[in-house]
Amino acid sequence: MESKRLVIRKHSLVFSFIAGLILFISISLFLIPSFSYWLFSLSTKTTSGTMPLTETELNHMQQKAALLERNFNRISSPGYSFLIINTTHNTFGLYRNREMIASGLCSTGSLIHLEVDSLQSWMFETPKGLLRVRNKITNPVWRKPDWAFIEEGIQPPPPGHPSRYEKGVLGDYALDLGNGYLIHGTLYQRLLGMPVTHGCVRLKDTDLELVFNTLNIGSKVYIF
Amino acid sequence: MEKILSKPKVWVPVVILAGMLVILMIIQLINSCYAVNALLKKEGLNYQVENSAGWNEYETRNLKKDIFWYEQLLILSQADSIYLAFDLQDSLVQIGIKGFNMVQTKILHLHPSDFLKDLNEDSYRHFTTINPIVEETACIPKKAVKKVIAYSDNEEHHDADKLPVYDIPLSWSFTTGSNLRVVITGVKRMADSSFSLQPTQDFVKYRFLEFIKQPVSKHYNPTIYLWLCDQDAKAIFRAVPPGGKVLFRN
């Protein structure tokens, strides 16, 4: 009988300890943060005793809100046609009159940092932000920069050397975004949807043609 | 009876441990009060502020919040950098540039649901104004940069299509200049296009990790937990530059 009581006592101690521990954990994990937020909200809560707005003031405020919204919408309007590039998922969306007319896969910068020495290095990254189409080129010729040769493990030839010019590798069209970045075609269609470029945006031939025909010089290209 | 008394008292360490937990709990509780006060003092917020006319009326307050939101967006649209905007009223997270929303994603779940909702006008403006991200951590890198040494026989260089793919759901947290903390969890889309949302489980995990890291914190950051579509969340995370500007509305 005594040993039974001892066992019950032992078990009840263990049980109460576990219950206490659970209570402690839940208080520490949930109740104290909630209490802190409640205290924060209470301390910064709105106070009473203010006069309501007159009808004229309210009308004035409504007009101001509407005007600001209009101004913002005017600024935020991207214009007739624009392109959005998602460098995380390597996708694009082509818009005309605020409607998406095409979407699909593209390839963007590989984020490879090619280093020759402490003085010479390149980062193959597609620039993010708002860019504009500066020029439209048909049958573009790729003028190979130094990194293209270095990547192949050969010394770059002098500027203007015939080996620096390659036809057909950029597809039928190219849209110049400035600073050497282009939207162009690719021979490596299987790599579309992957971050494999040197900073340019590669598109499938049919998509490229549609983008080329839709965007004008000055059209906005949003890259994120 | 004598047998019991002669047994070692097992309840003594249990009581001591329980007492220590209770003391720690009391310390946490008192400390949380101090931490909240310290934050308000640091941010220079006056509790007993008299609101401007109409703030206590729901409709007028929303109108004032709208005006403030658009004023801030217009300021952001003058800059050339990408910004992050949390429209908690419409449950949307947006990244934009020059006023244009490049990505807009629905908030699948948030906690607490009334985050910054009923503050006085001064505090609301203080916390929802444009602020930079001052500190951030994430489970994936912002830029998965791979270093390649030229003229070396580096196989990685030729296997560009084998670049690392971060398939784990995003877990990203950052603190703004006004000491607000945002914790974003990416939620994977399942085969039937629905989301495998487990906010309680994620929340327990976050709170537990925070507790382990700092059981008694001297600093308080009002924290919002958001669950977003993982694909959009990752795109947002990668798009927002370090120190990027953040804006709230609720």
Side-chain angles (χ1 to χ4, degrees):
Chain A
M1 187 64 185
E2 280 298 322
S3 64
K4 206 174 178 182
R5 272 178 63 189
L6 199 69
V7 167
I8 291 168
R9 195 173 155 184
K10 256 186 178 175
H11 280 135
S12 60
L13 268 173
V14 170
F15 176 75
S16 54
F17 179 71
I18 291 169
L21 201 67
I22 290 169
L23 188 71
F24 171 77
I25 288 169
S26 45
I27 286 174
S28 297
L29 291 188
F30 303 104
L31 296 182
I32 288 176
S34 301
F35 171 72
S36 298
Y37 186 69
W38 173 79
L39 211 64
F40 165 77
S41 298
L42 194 75
S43 306
T44 52
K45 213 174 172 68
T46 183
T47 55
S48 58
T50 50
M51 293 288 288
L53 285 180
T54 62
E55 205 168 314
T56 324
E57 285 173 322
L58 194 66
N59 281 343
H60 174 72
M61 200 169 274
Q62 280 167 343
Q63 280 170 5
K64 191 180 174 183
L67 181 73
L68 280 167
E69 192 176 352
R70 254 200 325 272
N71 283 349
F72 178 71
N73 288 341
R74 202 177 57 232
I75 288 173
S76 64
S77 173
Y80 179 68
S81 50
F82 61 96
L83 183 71
I84 300 183
I85 311 276
N86 180 339
T87 61
T88 304
H89 301 297
N90 289 284
T91 53
F92 77 94
L94 179 64
Y95 292 78
R96 189 163 53 198
N97 295 329
R98 294 185 186 178
E99 272 185 34
M100 188 190 269
I101 58 165
S103 65
L105 297 175
C106 65
S107 283
T108 59
S110 63
L111 292 177
I112 284 175
H113 185 253
L114 178 65
E115 194 177 293
V116 179
D117 50 43
S118 57
L119 298 172
Q120 208 178 13
S121 66
W122 292 270
M123 176 73 177
F124 300 139
E125 186 181 13
T126 303
K128 285 174 183 158
L130 170 59
L131 284 83
R132 283 177 188 273
V133 175
R134 295 192 177 190
N135 197 10
K136 290 170 74 173
I137 310 151
T138 45
N139 298 316
V141 175
W142 185 31
R143 195 179 63 81
K144 287 171 83 174
D146 286 353
W147 50 252
F149 296 95
I150 292 167
E151 251 191 346
E152 289 167 15
I154 51 176
Q155 285 294 332
H161 191 272
S163 65
R164 280 197 181 262
Y165 300 94
E166 262 188 47
K167 283 181 184 171
V169 290
L170 300 181
D172 296 334
Y173 309 98
L175 294 102
D176 182 9
L177 302 176
N179 295 324
Y181 295 102
L182 301 171
I183 299 172
H184 59 74
T186 178
L187 300 173
Y188 309 101
Q189 307 262 329
R190 70 176 180 93
L191 297 180
L192 286 168
M194 292 179 192
V196 292
T197 79
H198 299 93
C200 289
V201 178
R202 293 180 193 167
L203 292 174
K204 195 169 72 179
D205 292 344
T206 48
D207 292 335
L208 180 66
E209 190 174 357
L210 186 62
V211 167
F212 187 84
N213 290 330
T214 307
L215 298 186
N216 301 310
I217 291 175
S219 291
K220 291 174 180 173
V221 178
Y222 296 95
I223 304 177
F224 66 93
Chain B
M1 189 67 184
E2 270 175 26
K3 206 176 173 184
I4 299 169
L5 288 173
S6 63
K7 280 257 175 192
K9 291 175 178 174
V10 284
W11 52 270
V12 173
V14 173
V15 168
I16 290 171
L17 209 63
M20 281 166 71
L21 290 181
V22 169
I23 290 167
L24 184 61
M25 220 153 66
I26 293 166
I27 292 171
Q28 279 183 332
L29 205 68
I30 294 167
N31 200 67
S32 64
C33 298
Y34 279 111
V36 171
N37 279 331
L39 170 80
L40 297 174
K41 211 171 168 184
K42 189 181 168 190
E43 299 297 326
L45 292 170
N46 187 0
Y47 311 3
Q48 298 304 317
V49 69
E50 187 77 5
N51 296 311
S52 66
W55 186 259
N56 289 339
E57 286 175 4
Y58 179 76
E59 271 183 43
T60 316
R61 191 193 303 180
N62 274 349
L63 207 55
K64 286 189 173 202
K65 285 179 178 180
D66 278 354
I67 290 172
F68 189 62
W69 168 254
Y70 282 116
E71 280 173 348
Q72 299 295 296
L73 280 175
L74 281 166
I75 293 169
L76 281 175
S77 64
Q78 304 300 314
D80 290 327
S81 58
I82 294 172
Y83 58 81
L84 177 58
F86 294 91
D87 184 351
L88 303 177
Q89 209 170 57
D90 295 335
S91 291
L92 294 171
V93 179
Q94 308 158 339
I95 51 163
I97 187 165
K98 294 279 180 192
F100 177 69
N101 288 335
M102 295 190 288
V103 178
Q104 182 167 285
T105 188
K106 190 100 187 126
I107 296 170
L108 301 173
H109 186 79
L110 83 161
H111 176 85
S113 53
D114 59 346
F115 192 67
L116 308 178
K117 206 167 194 169
D118 296 319
L119 308 188
N120 63 50
E121 197 171 356
D122 264 14
S123 304
Y124 180 81
R125 282 174 168 263
H126 178 84
F127 287 110
T128 58
T129 193
I130 302 163
N131 267 294
I133 291 173
V134 288
E135 202 185 320
E136 65 179 317
T137 53
C139 65
I140 59 170
K142 200 140 205 149
K143 276 186 192 179
V145 178
K146 283 183 75 184
K147 201 171 177 179
V148 172
I149 306 295
Y151 305 117
S152 68
D153 191 19
N154 193 332
E155 277 190 22
E156 282 180 334
H157 176 81
H158 302 289
D159 290 340
D161 51 338
K162 287 179 188 164
L163 285 167
V165 177
Y166 296 95
D167 208 30
I168 48 166
L170 178 71
S171 170
W172 173 34
S173 74
F174 63 82
T175 310
T176 69
S178 59
N179 283 303
L180 289 184
R181 195 162 153 258
V182 180
V183 180
I184 292 174
T185 309
V187 183
K188 291 270 182 190
R189 204 185 278 270
M190 294 195 290
D192 60 351
S193 289
S194 64
F195 290 99
S196 56
L197 196 62
Q198 293 166 320
T200 314
Q201 199 177 311
D202 295 329
F203 187 70
V204 169
K205 190 184 81 187
Y206 281 126
R207 288 295 312 138
F208 186 72
L209 290 174
E210 282 162 26
F211 179 73
I212 296 290
K213 217 168 136 188
Q214 219 168 17
V216 182
S217 174
K218 283 182 180 175
H219 305 288
Y220 172 65
N221 301 108
T223 308
I224 184 165
Y225 298 84
L226 299 166
W227 283 263
L228 310 176
C229 162
D230 190 52
Q231 225 183 357
D232 292 340
K234 277 176 182 157
I236 290 170
F237 165 66
R238 291 261 163 90
V240 176
K245 299 282 192 290
V246 185
L247 182 64
F248 287 91
R249 175 216 216 180
N250 198 6

